Amino acid sequence: MQGTQPPTAQPAEASVDPSAYAPTDRTVPTRSADRASYDRELVHAILDEGYVCHLGFVRDGAPVVLPTLYGRVGERLYVHGSTGSRPLRTAGKTGPGLPVCVTVTHVDGLVLARSAFHHSVNYRSVVVHGTAHQVTDPEEKRAALDALVDHVVPGRAADSRPANTKELAATAVLRLDLAEVSAKLRTGGVNDEPEDLALPHWAGVVPVRREYGTPVADADLAPHTALPGYLAAL
Amino acid sequence: MQGTQPPTAQPAEASVDPSAYAPTDRTVPTRSADRASYDRELVHAILDEGYVCHLGFVRDGAPVVLPTLYGRVGERLYVHGSTGSRPLRTAGKTGPGLPVCVTVTHVDGLVLARSAFHHSVNYRSVVVHGTAHQVTDPEEKRAALDALVDHVVPGRAADSRPANTKELAATAVLRLDLAEVSAKLRTGGVNDEPEDLALPHWAGVVPVRREYGTPVADADLAPHTALPGYLAAL
């Protein structure tokens, strides 16, 4: 999501900065390279703010993109296998793993320019390339499931019944190392052409944010179960 | 994004209902098939509510998923080429086109079960499979750009300076027919195990919605330019 300026290709350079991911050929955009970042803290912050990713994989030579839940633990991303057993079956429990691309996007604002051409969106996204492997270790799977739950609502994993052995066995989780990673951001205001500034169209940015409504308790809630603080704080 | 119940594969059957898309092998999920829908009106409604899609394509045999803007015109989806020139270059101006998967997801609620295992998200998503082609006709490109802008803010295209010839030439747009399409939804409350109902953990659904903040006008706004009604109504 960037403007339609001509490509500004930049060479991929190996980074020696331990605070950043090393750019690779496929994490350096062919255009709007100035919007790309490899900063580890920034990548983590973008990932930690979300819980739904778009998981891409190749099936019969064609791309497939499915929404699914994810969680981050250090430099590992865990993706819920529940978007369909296809990627999980393809990844297998052993073997070379499944080439995937996992993308997380937050929209922060609508950028309304005077010209249709310069309309845009302020956003922050992270794209992770790599090979996903099925998590088979029960303890790693449990930690991954906790991370998924805590991404949805921070603090929730500790306030729920942990998965039992049967549930862990029925849960499919993919692990993807955060190695080939980039963030991309668009911030700021409109970029209209100078000759358009006098046009009578309103121009500016409309902030967009995720809001939560009043929690709706399950009808079968146990007596005296209060709304937990981490939900009231959402 | 569904539960981890065992796969419930169902055979793909050609639909004769003109109000629905015909299911195909790759639009019938291998699990949670009861959450799938091929209803045309539902698909259109989900698409029309959004403006950011996740575009998947294959590059050097590996999947790539990028966020980008889109718009719908009838049974055609238009995707902004600005996510990077790679898919556009691959698609070419002529030729066989680019196999893509375009996915649009809206999150409607956080489903907090008593058990970590049954945590989920209420959502509506549309997945479109097909071959994307570059739009070369200037009028079609202009209409596609208008659709993109009107997806971001309904009514905005008519209140902006239309793209000129130079801008149209610099705009890359992919067209994707809505033919192989499915929607998937999760609605409702928690699905806890009966033996977990007495647990003291709060359970229920937290509604999630997109909210807009107060529009921030560009500093160079022409004098007496009022906030348009379609923005006040957001």
Side-chain angles (χ1 to χ4, degrees), chain A residues 218-226, chain B residues 114 196-203:
Chain A
D218 184 43
D220 297 320
L221 214 60
H224 313 301
T225 305
Chain B
R114 295 157 182 87
D196 286 339
L197 293 183
L199 290 176
H201 308 298
W202 188 91

Side-chain angles (χ1 to χ4, degrees), chain B residues 81-100:
Chain B
S82 64
T83 46
S85 56
R86 278 171 186 148
L88 271 293
R89 281 200 311 244
T90 310
K93 291 203 174 179
T94 57
L98 178 72
V100 299

Side-chain angles (χ1 to χ4, degrees), chain A residues 189-211:
Chain A
V190 298
N191 290 325
D192 265 314
E193 304 295 333
E195 61 266 31
D196 287 338
L197 294 183
L199 289 177
H201 308 299
W202 188 91
V205 176
V206 181
V208 177
R209 55 176 174 250
R210 185 174 57 190
E211 287 280 330

Side-chain angles (χ1 to χ4, degrees), chain B residues 105-153:
Chain B
T105 305
H106 307 303
V107 174
D108 297 322
L110 313 178
V111 181
L112 306 186
R114 295 157 182 87
S115 60
F117 181 72
H118 282 295
H119 275 68
S120 188
V121 165
N122 280 341
Y123 69 99
R124 291 162 295 141
S125 67
V126 164
V127 175
V128 184
H129 297 272
T131 301
H133 297 273
Q134 267 208 53
V135 176
T136 52
D137 177 72
E139 282 317 302
E140 184 181 5
K141 203 184 267 187
R142 190 186 301 273
L145 198 57
D146 280 354
L148 260 74
V149 169
D150 275 340
H151 266 251
V152 175
V153 178

Side-chain angles (χ1 to χ4, degrees), chain A residues 1-5 7 25-32 51-52 54-69 80-86 89 99-105 107 110-121 123 125 127 129 145-146 149 152-153 156-163 166-168 170-172 184 189-190 192-193 196-222 225-228 230-231 234, chain B residues 1-5 7 25-32 51-52 54-69 80-86 89 99-105 107 110-121 123 125 127 129 145-146 149 152-153 156-163 166-168 170-172 184 189-190 192-193 196-222 225-228 230-231 234:
Chain A
M1 293 189 295
Q2 52 263 51
T4 40
Q5 293 81 17
D25 175 56
R26 58 183 176 181
T27 64
V28 175
T30 50
R31 50 199 308 160
S32 301
Y51 46 86
V52 172
H54 281 81
L55 166 69
F57 59 99
V58 179
R59 179 172 180 248
D60 297 335
V64 180
V65 178
L66 298 177
T68 191
L69 296 173
H80 203 219
S82 64
T83 47
S85 56
R86 279 169 186 149
R89 282 200 311 241
V100 299
C101 180
V102 173
T103 300
V104 173
T105 305
V107 173
L110 313 179
V111 182
L112 306 186
R114 296 158 183 86
S115 60
F117 181 73
H118 282 297
H119 276 66
S120 188
V121 165
Y123 69 99
S125 67
V127 176
H129 298 272
L145 197 57
D146 280 354
V149 168
V152 174
V153 178
R156 176 69 186 178
D159 184 26
S160 58
R161 176 181 59 74
K166 184 184 164 195
E167 289 170 342
L168 282 180
T171 303
K184 207 162 182 188
V190 298
D192 265 314
E193 304 295 333
D196 287 338
L197 294 183
L199 289 177
H201 308 299
W202 188 91
V205 176
V206 181
V208 177
R209 55 176 174 250
R210 185 174 57 190
E211 287 280 330
Y212 298 99
T214 305
V216 179
D218 184 43
D220 297 320
L221 214 60
T225 305
L227 191 72
Y230 54 77
L231 279 184
L234 267 185
Chain B
M1 291 188 293
Q2 53 262 54
T4 42
Q5 294 79 18
D25 175 57
R26 59 183 176 181
T27 64
V28 175
T30 51
R31 51 202 304 162
S32 300
Y51 45 87
V52 172
H54 281 80
L55 167 69
F57 58 99
V58 179
R59 180 173 178 249
D60 298 335
V64 181
V65 179
L66 299 176
T68 190
L69 297 173
H80 203 217
S82 64
T83 46
S85 56
R86 278 171 186 148
R89 281 200 311 244
V100 299
C101 181
V102 173
T103 301
V104 172
T105 305
V107 174
L110 313 178
V111 181
L112 306 186
R114 295 157 182 87
S115 60
F117 181 72
H118 282 295
H119 275 68
S120 188
V121 165
Y123 69 99
S125 67
V127 175
H129 297 272
L145 198 57
D146 280 354
V149 169
V152 175
V153 178
R156 176 68 185 178
D159 185 27
S160 59
R161 190 216 0 110
K166 185 184 164 194
E167 290 170 342
L168 282 180
T171 303
K184 208 162 182 189
V190 298
D192 265 314
E193 304 295 333
D196 286 339
L197 293 183
L199 290 176
H201 308 298
W202 188 91
V205 176
V206 181
V208 177
R209 55 176 174 250
R210 185 174 59 192
E211 287 278 331
Y212 298 98
T214 305
V216 180
D218 185 43
D220 296 322
L221 215 58
T225 304
L227 191 72
Y230 55 77
L231 278 185
L234 267 185

